[in-house]
Amino acid sequence: MQLSFVWRYTMANTKRWCWYIPIVSLICTVIWYSYTMESTSRNRVAITALKPRVIDDTKQNVVAILSKQNVVPTVSKLEKKNEKYLVYLCDEKRDCGGWGDRQRGIVSLFLLSLVWKRTFKILISSPCDIKPYYTPTKEYNWIFTDDELKGLKDQKTKTLDFVGVDEPLMNMNMNSSEIADVLYIKTNCVNFLIIALKYANFLPVYLRKKGRASIFRESWNRFMIPTDKLLSQVVKIDSRGEINSDAKKLGKELVCAHLRIGHSKYLPNDYVGFPLVAVPKVWNFIDDNFHKKSRIFVATDNLDVRKSAISKYGRRYIGSYAYTMNPDNMRSNLTLACSSQESAYVDQLMLSKCDVLIFYRRSGFSIHASYLKTEWTNIYSILRNGSSTFSLQKTNIY
Ligand SMILES: *[C@@H]1O[C@H](CO)[C@@H](O)[C@H](O)[C@H]1NC(C)=O
Ligand SMILES: *[C@@H]1O[C@H](CO)[C@@H](O)[C@H](O)[C@H]1NC(C)=O
Ligand SMILES: *[C@@H]1O[C@H](CO)[C@@H](O)[C@H](O)[C@H]1NC(C)=O
C-alpha cells in the first residue's frame, strides 16, 4: 500500500465512537517528538559537546545487529565484488536522538552516499527495529540482502560517530576504498541542505536547486515507505470522529497541531518549548480560523495539553493518545520504548496527512512533519517568544 488518500474518505465515513481511551497518568519522558531542537542554538543535553570520533571496531557489535535483520531476499545477478557501503547506524551503544534527529541523519547520509558513491543502508536497532514500520523501495534497498551479507564477511569496516557534529562529516571524502568497505556512521546532521548545495553536481536533478523541505521530502519518499502495519494505525486514527461535509468542502476538515512543551513536571530535564499557559490561545486560533466542526488531532509531549484539548473539543478530538518518551533513556524497558517509537512514527505520519498543520518551529519531529505534509498549504508555525507568549505565522515551505 503506497501513500494514498483514498483511505481518509472511505474509512472516515463509518462513524466510530470508540475514540475514548483512558488516559493513564503515567507519562514517561518525551522526546521521540524531537530530541534536539532544529536550530543552531541547541541546548539539549550534551549532544553539542560531543566530538566526532572513530570507534574501535573491535568493540562494536555491528555483526549482532546485522544478524538481527530479517533479510529481504532479492535476486542479485551480479555479485558486486567491490561494492562499498555507507550505513546509517543507530544501535544501543550510543545515543542517536529522537525521530527528528534520526531522520536528519538518514537524509544527510543518503545524500552523502550519492556523493561518495557508496550503497546506502540503514540499521536502526535501538530501541527497536525500524523494519516493521518502514520498508525500502526497489531503487534504494537500504536493507542488506543475503548476498550482501555474505559479501560483508572479511570486509574492512569503520564506524564514525558524528552525533551533534556536522561540519567535518560533510567535508570528508569517503570515496577511497582505503577508508573502509563498510562505513557505519552515527549522525543527526542538521545541514543536509548545505550538503545538497555543496555537492549539487553529484545529485540527481530532483535534488538540485531545491529548498530544505524539498530535499528532505524528495529524498525521504524515495526510499522510506511506511508499511501496512504503520499505515493501518494512521487509518484507524483518521477514521475516528465525524467528518463535517462543510468543513471538508473548505479543505480544512482535519486540523492538527504538534505542541512541544518540553520542560514541565513531566519532563524536568527537557528544554523549554511552547509555553503551557499559552495553549488555550492556540485553541482560540483554531476556533477563529477554521470550521467549528473540524476534527482536531494534537500530538504533544505534555498530558495537560492533551487533557485541555479533550475538554475543549470533546468528540472532535481524535488523538493523539500516544505516550512519548526518550528513546535513548528507555532502553531498560523495551516494551515501553518500542511502543513509544511506534507512536512517534504514527503521530508524525498522521500530522503529515492533515489539512491544516500547526507545527513547532524548534522541533525536528515537527518540522519534518511539515516537510512531509502531502500538500504544502495551510501550514502554520509557532514559536515561543516569551514566558507566556508565542508567535504564529503562516509558513511557506519549499
Ligand atoms: C567519488 O568517486 C567518484 C567515482 O570515482 C567520482 O566521480 C566522484 O567525483 C568522487 N567524489 C568526490 C566527492 O570526490
Ligand atoms: C515496561 O513498561 C510496560 C508498559 O508500561 C509495563 O507494563 C511493564 O511492567 C514495564 N516493565 C518493566 C520491567 O518495568
Ligand atoms: C511575540 O510574537 C507576537 C506575535 O508575533 C508579538 O505580537 C509579540 O510582541 C512578541 N513578543 C515578544 C516578547 O517578542
Side-chain angles (χ1 to χ4, degrees), residues 176-200:
S176 165
S177 58
E178 306 287 297
I179 289 165
D181 304 307
V182 191
L183 184 61
Y184 298 94
I185 298 186
K186 296 189 138 191
T187 179
N188 61 344
C189 190
V190 178
N191 274 326
F192 56 80
L193 176 59
I194 296 179
I195 296 174
L197 293 173
K198 178 170 173 160
Y199 297 109

Side-chain angles (χ1 to χ4, degrees), residues 81-100:
K81 275 265 153 53
N82 294 316
E83 182 120 36
K84 291 199 267 306
Y85 298 94
L86 179 61
V87 187
Y88 171 87
L89 178 67
C90 173
D91 60 8
E92 33 292 292
K93 299 272 158 164
R94 281 181 69 81
D95 292 357
C96 330
W99 185 225

Side-chain angles (χ1 to χ4, degrees), residues 330-373:
M330 293 309 297
R331 288 167 180 169
S332 55
N333 186 335
L334 273 189
T335 315
L336 208 54
C338 293
S339 73
S340 160
Q341 175 179 308
E342 183 174 317
S343 301
Y345 298 151
V346 172
D347 277 4
Q348 192 190 54
L349 200 53
M350 188 67 207
L351 289 173
S352 75
K353 306 283 184 200
C354 298
D355 299 319
V356 176
L357 176 62
I358 301 168
F359 76 95
Y360 196 60
R361 227 181 304 161
R362 282 253 176 112
S363 152
F365 175 93
S366 216
I367 292 167
H368 299 159
S370 77
Y371 292 170
L372 295 172
K373 189 171 181 297

Side-chain angles (χ1 to χ4, degrees), residues 385-386 389-392:
N385 73 352
T389 56
F390 63 93
S391 64
L392 184 152

Side-chain angles (χ1 to χ4, degrees), residues 8 16 27 85 91 136 142 291 294 306 340 354:
R8 171 177 294 174
R16 290 189 199 170
I27 191 164
Y85 298 94
D91 60 8
W142 45 262
H291 197 277
S294 56
R306 181 175 303 171
S340 160
C354 298

